[in-house]
Amino acid sequence: MSIKYVAEPFRIKSVEPIRMATRQEREAKILAAHNNLFGLKSEDVYIDLLTDSGTNAMSVEQWAGVMRGDEAYAGASSYLKLEAAAKDIFGFGYVQPVHQGRAAEKVLFPLFLCAGKYAISNMHFDTTRAHVELAGGRAIDCVVAAAKDPSTRVPFKGNMDVERLEKLINELGAQNVGLIIMTITNNSAGGQPVSMQNMREVSAICKKYDIPMNIDAARYAENAYFIKRDEAGYADKSIKEIIAETFSFGDMFTMSAKKDGIVNMGGMLGVRDAESPLVLKVKANCISYEGFYTYGGLSGRDMEALAIGMYEGIDENFLRYRVGQMEYMGAKLDEAGIAYQSPVGGHGLFIDAKAMFPHIPYYEYPAQVLALELYKEAGIRGCDIGSYMMGNNPDTGEQLESEFEFTRMAIPRRVYTQAHLDVVVEALTAVKARAHTIKRGYRITWEPPVLRHFQARLEKISE
Ligand SMILES: *Cc1c(COP(=O)(O)O)cnc(C)c1O
């Protein structure tokens, strides 16, 4: 079934040339990068779908805001503007800018986690898992079973499995669970949304066992769009109303603003109760690691652009176009018989590499195989969201087997057109046609202990 592309609700004022290197050049470049796509120069990439994080195109209003940025060390007007926007949209008493999402994690998590404590999440994003572990804790994913089958088309596959959550709390002992983290949308499960009903149920469990709930809120606007579209009782609510209700269930939030904030750099941390003693601890950590609490590592101009971008990101016409891009690609992949996490999520297509390379085991990284083939095929850069990204068990050093082997094609906001998306689908189709001829995957020849996928070196296993 063909789907009509939702035309861009903007026109283009400034352009950035891109170029496709030859196949021979691409093969040399990726080899020189040790088969790690993070090691490539951006100029050697034609269509860059490595991430939707910080790769967004800003609007004329945001660029005008950049000029208005107040660079005062303390109490800058740009900070006050950001604080007002965040309070207006999230309804939290205290909001703290930080330079990006992982900085919020670094500031907040050690206040709740230490050796012997657990964080349970619908799914931990990679940096979130890393900061749980850096704080000494252990991260447990507890997503609904439907998420694990890419072909099961049901709404809200990002949800927490509430039955299992309660079981886990009882097994571990509530006093040992330091945090419950609701990731919206559920990035690692394919940008899959979390329903309001699920937020409500998880919040009730948190209250019952007296465990704080943190919302990992990178894609709060996309999540709200899905709730409006697919959850009973929300069709007539505004995106803003839905966001306010979603956040009403959290005690804290950590947020990478590089996604739905439509900026190139930024993050935030929120505490519901401005009078909570937690606020002073957050401020102290922030001052030590990030910068004074009215800038947290951001320039005034960054905060100004973010305050504007947050409103643009919750515009329903924008969200319809954005999710429309994913649906357009999803329909084309259906036609081509290429499996992906379906229905499509909010920020990209998560191609099921396990389905495309059923003969390549998780410890030879099928999703990395597909990502590398796409680069060689058409200069497209995606990334592995699978066993390669997941890394090793921190206690035993053994390679973990991920629930999925996805190659993520993340779509930057307001950057690529319909024709670019067609190029991606054509390249995927070409790789699929020769997938059976690629018999083996890769082995890691060097890796760092934490967040290895950013830096590891890989070598093709000879066939
Ligand atoms: C991007 C992201 C983070 C980390 O944010 P950075 O800005 O990359 O540091 C954390 N959680 C989720 C769900 C994310 O998507």
Side-chain angles (χ1 to χ4, degrees), residues 51-54 99-105 123-129 131 181-188 216-219 254-259 265-267 347 408 454:
T51 177
D52 63 318
S53 178
H99 85 274
Q100 60 183 94
R102 71 198 67 183
E105 294 162 357
M123 276 191 95
H124 295 83
F125 180 63
D126 57 355
T127 65
T128 316
R129 173 177 293 274
H131 278 287
I181 302 171
M182 286 300 274
T183 310
I184 60 169
T185 57
N186 188 328
N187 184 353
S188 307
D216 182 357
R219 297 179 183 81
T254 47
M255 186 179 111
S256 170
K258 299 168 70 174
K259 284 83 171 214
M265 190 54 66
H347 67 288
R408 185 178 77 173
F454 290 120

Side-chain angles (χ1 to χ4, degrees), residues 4-149:
K4 199 163 153 38
Y5 185 86
V6 181
E8 282 76 9
F10 53 82
R11 57 186 177 184
I12 297 167
K13 189 180 217 102
S14 184
V15 299
E16 195 178 3
I18 50 177
R19 153 185 179 270
M20 196 187 316
T22 65
R23 180 163 191 121
Q24 210 177 5
E25 284 173 317
R26 295 195 297 271
E27 283 181 355
K29 304 274 184 201
I30 195 63
L31 202 59
H34 303 282
N35 293 305
N36 186 326
L37 292 142
F38 290 92
L40 290 171
K41 289 183 190 154
S42 133
E43 65 187 25
D44 296 327
V45 175
Y46 177 50
I47 298 177
D48 203 346
L49 308 184
L50 185 64
T51 177
D52 63 318
S53 178
T55 51
N56 307 302
M58 294 211 294
S59 67
V60 287
E61 287 304 320
Q62 287 177 292
W63 282 111
V66 165
M67 281 308 295
R68 282 194 301 267
D70 176 356
E71 305 300 342
Y73 190 94
S77 63
S78 299
Y79 161 72
L80 296 172
K81 194 165 169 184
L82 176 62
E83 183 191 35
K87 285 185 172 175
D88 176 38
I89 294 173
F90 305 128
F92 267 47
Y94 180 71
V95 286
Q96 165 76 66
V98 289
H99 85 274
Q100 60 183 94
R102 71 198 67 183
E105 294 162 357
K106 182 182 179 195
V107 164
L108 191 71
F109 288 3
L111 302 174
F112 291 92
L113 298 169
C114 58
K117 293 255 187 188
Y118 293 87
I120 307 176
S121 175
N122 52 340
M123 276 191 95
H124 295 83
F125 180 63
D126 57 355
T127 65
T128 316
R129 173 177 293 274
H131 278 287
V132 167
E133 291 172 3
L134 286 166
R138 288 294 174 258
I140 301 176
D141 291 340
C142 188
V143 72
V144 290
K148 297 171 192 174
D149 179 5

Side-chain angles (χ1 to χ4, degrees), residues 422-440:
D422 287 341
V423 171
V424 175
V425 173
E426 282 157 23
L428 278 162
T429 308
V431 173
K432 179 175 191 253
R434 58 182 170 77
H436 61 283
T437 67
I438 301 161
K439 302 256 190 285
R440 299 292 302 268

